[in-house]
Structures are given as C-alpha cells and as structure tokens.
Amino acid sequence: METLNLNPVRKHGCADPQAVAPSADWTIDQNWEAYTQEEHGVWKTLYERQSKLLPGRVCDQYLDCMKQMPITADEIPDFRRVNDLLMKHTGWQIVAVPGLVPDDVFFTHIANRRFPAGQFIRSKEKLDYLQEPDVFHDVFGHAPMLMNPAIADFMQAYGQGGLKALERGILPFISRLYWYTIEFGLVQQKDGIRIYGAGISSSFTESRYCLEDDSPNRIGFDLERVMRTDYRIDDLQKSYFVINELDDLFELAQIDFDPIYARITDQPTYTPDRIVPGDRVLHPGTLRYHRQKAARTED
Ligand code: HBI
Ligand code: FE
C-alpha cells in the first residue's frame, strides 16, 4: 500500500500545471487560503446554476449527501473540512492535484480511497469548457457520491481493476466502465431516470440533455456491452446506460473481470451511437444533436 507523502506547498494558480515538477503521487497542497475572490465567484456562479437544475434530475442520494457536506455557494470548499466528513462516512479522502494525472497515479490513489481533485478552477470566461477536471467538477460532481457506500466500494474496485488492466495492456475496457458509470451514469428511480455520474451533474448542458433531449440513446446497463462501447470525451454523449439502483454497484465491485476480458477481448467494439442486439432500450435516440452538428461542420 502506498502512503501519502507530505508535499511542500506549491505556488497556487499555476497557469501551466505541467511546469510544476510532480511529486511521486502528484499531490499538491490545496492552499485554500490563496484562492482569490474572483475564483470563489466562479465557484458561486457554477454552484448556483447547477443547484437550480439538479433537483428532480439528480438521484436522491446525491441530494441527501450534498446537504450534509460543508459545500456551499459562497466559496470553493476546503478539502480539510470535506475530508473530515468523507472519512467518517466511507473512509474516502480527496487530495489536490494540478490537473490530469497519469493513469497509474490515478488508479493508485483510487485503489487507496483517495480521490485526486483538481486544485484549480476554470476561468469565468470559459464556464462550460474544461480541458482537465477542475475543483468544480471533482468536488461538486464526485465528492457527494463518495459519501454513498456503493459508489465508495465501486470506486475503490475500479482503482484496483485499473492497476491490473494497466499491467496487462487492456485499459480501455475498464476506462469505458468508469466513463459510463462514475462519469456519465444514469440510475432508475421510482419517479424516473436520474443522474449519478459526475460528468453530468457538474455540467449545465448535459444535466438537461441526458434526460430530456430526444437525441441520445438511453439503454439498460449491461457490463459486457458497456466495456465494448467507445466513448467521446469532447462532446455530449450519444448513449447513456441506466443502472437499476446504486446498490447494484456493490455487486459490480465484486465481479472478477478476468473471464469477461477473456470473452470480449476479440470481439468488435461498438461505436457510441449504436443500439445492438440484446439492448434493453429505454429510449432510442434520434441522434439529432450530433447529426445537426456534423452537418454544420461539413459546409
Ligand atoms: N486524473 N485528475 C485526474 N482525474 C481523472 O479523472 C483522471 C486522471 N487521470 C487519468 C484518468 N482520469 C482516466 O484516464 C482513467 O480513469 C482511465
Ligand atoms: Fe470526473
């Protein structure tokens, strides 16, 4: 088991994260005191915008957990305070990083119940554009779900699975699983389909599009199917996969992926727009959004 080393405090708000020589585990101090009023203001804008949208769209567990957390509109959350609560509930911690970290570093943290969270916040000029996960995506989107025991266990299993997959050179299978659950997952609730993926809950556009737009497919979750499905990181998704309940992730955290890898390794990959035999289709997408976009860029 890796231990968290204590790093020197680094300069806050470094424009080029790559310019900072990384420590072995890439963690930096959050240096909360150094956030500017403008940065807290960006947080407030994003927080208020999302908080208005999420009730009725995000799953009950997210809202319940968020209510308990020291996360408000007024300021970028202090990781020390968030961690006190997370530790009590599920033993998770968030650790500050400058941005995207290498896969092996990411998985090692996750396997040890540490979630790497971007220290920086996006600029107020580009509220909806994110090249790397920032503190709003990571803390507003991911932290509340880490209070949920099923997500907590599944995430750790993902870290362990990721390390294994990396060794064997079969990373895409497990990355797709993460993408279509933790980042872009939907869950069936009594009163309708709801969001649990952090990529959606932290996005102004996608939190409505994923549920209300006719364009994307909404398909019942199936592990092998998802592991065979490509994804796009730079646009709204063409397909979402819906789990029956969050507790299903407990089971998913226990599954031995080896026989599954063996079975799907030689099978073709699905493009993200497709509906395939065996799919439990909840909503067949019109794909209008992506068609129109493609037409626009052709001429
Ligand atoms: N680093 N900070 C950060 N956050 C991520 O979500 C992240 C990462 N590095 C790698 C990574 N995700 C993905 O490539 C893996 O989930 C596969
Ligand atoms: Fe994320």
Side-chain angles (χ1 to χ4, degrees):
M1 197 123 145
E2 212 204 40
T3 52
L4 192 64
N5 61 336
L6 295 167
N7 298 286
V9 176
R10 290 216 182 75
K11 192 175 169 297
H12 166 74
C14 184
D16 176 10
Q18 305 303 320
V20 180
S23 59
D25 71 358
W26 283 69
T27 60
I28 57 175
D29 196 291
Q30 187 192 9
N31 204 4
W32 185 84
E33 289 72 16
Y35 287 120
T36 63
Q37 276 320 301
E38 178 164 319
E39 288 172 321
H40 288 304
V42 172
W43 171 277
K44 187 179 172 75
T45 304
L46 292 166
Y47 181 101
E48 288 179 339
R49 207 170 65 159
Q50 278 324 95
S51 297
K52 261 186 234 145
L53 275 180
L54 291 185
R57 293 193 173 93
V58 80
C59 64
D60 294 339
Q61 290 90 342
Y62 176 98
L63 292 172
D64 290 344
C65 290
M66 190 54 133
K67 241 181 269 164
Q68 302 174 49
M69 302 197 88
I71 300 179
T72 66
D74 298 329
E75 54 190 29
I76 296 172
D78 185 332
F79 291 2
R80 292 166 293 200
R81 299 192 52 213
V82 173
N83 283 341
D84 287 342
L85 191 74
L86 278 176
M87 185 51 92
K88 252 187 254 156
H89 281 257
T90 54
W92 271 84
Q93 297 282 274
I94 50 180
V95 292
V97 292
L100 277 178
V101 300
D103 290 335
D104 61 323
V105 174
F106 186 69
F107 293 136
T108 302
H109 279 303
I110 301 283
N112 291 286
R113 294 202 173 220
R114 293 188 302 264
F115 190 83
Q119 186 270 354
F120 73 101
I121 192 151
R122 67 198 76 178
S123 73
K124 69 173 190 307
E125 288 78 22
K126 291 186 173 170
L127 284 185
D128 297 306
Y129 178 75
L130 258 197
Q131 241 176 337
E132 295 187 274
D134 73 343
V135 66
F136 186 76
H137 166 76
D138 282 331
V139 175
F140 187 91
H142 286 291
M145 297 312 297
L146 289 173
M147 295 269 284
N148 177 266
I151 296 267
D153 283 9
F154 177 66
M155 276 283 245
Q156 181 171 22
Y158 169 73
Q160 293 160 340
L163 286 172
K164 238 185 180 183
L166 204 56
E167 254 170 47
R168 301 186 194 168
I170 48 170
L171 192 61
F173 294 139
I174 194 132
S175 302
R176 292 173 193 144
L177 176 60
Y178 185 79
W179 192 260
Y180 286 118
T181 56
I182 295 295
E183 294 293 355
F184 292 94
L186 297 178
V187 57
Q188 188 67 56
Q189 252 178 227
K190 277 195 289 301
D191 43 358
I193 296 174
R194 295 288 182 270
I195 298 160
Y196 72 94
I200 309 175
S201 61
S202 62
S203 162
F204 184 61
T205 311
E206 198 146 9
S207 55
R208 286 165 299 165
Y209 167 89
C210 73
L211 297 173
E212 287 139 62
D213 204 291
D214 282 342
S215 295
N217 301 314
R218 288 179 275 272
I219 303 168
F221 179 89
D222 177 84
L223 179 60
E224 292 191 24
R225 156 66 154 113
V226 163
M227 284 190 162
R228 291 177 58 185
T229 308
D230 272 334
Y231 59 88
R232 296 189 55 161
I233 61 165
D234 59 345
D235 203 350
L236 300 170
Q237 302 302 306
K238 292 178 176 173
S239 292
Y240 298 93
F241 294 92
V242 184
I243 60 174
N244 291 325
E245 52 179 336
L246 284 186
D247 280 0
D248 287 354
L249 296 175
F250 276 128
E251 213 177 301
L252 219 48
Q254 299 298 322
I255 289 176
D256 176 7
F257 292 142
D258 284 346
I260 299 172
Y261 293 150
R263 208 158 40 230
I264 64 179
T265 239
D266 298 319
Q267 292 179 343
T269 296
Y270 302 124
T271 54
D273 57 309
R274 285 196 54 191
I275 285 180
V276 304
D279 278 351
R280 188 165 59 86
V281 181
L282 304 171
H283 168 78
T286 61
L287 299 173
R288 181 175 39 86
Y289 164 82
H290 290 91
R291 285 221 182 87
Q292 286 180 350
K293 192 170 165 172
R296 273 199 307 278
T297 51
E298 262 162 32
D299 47 47

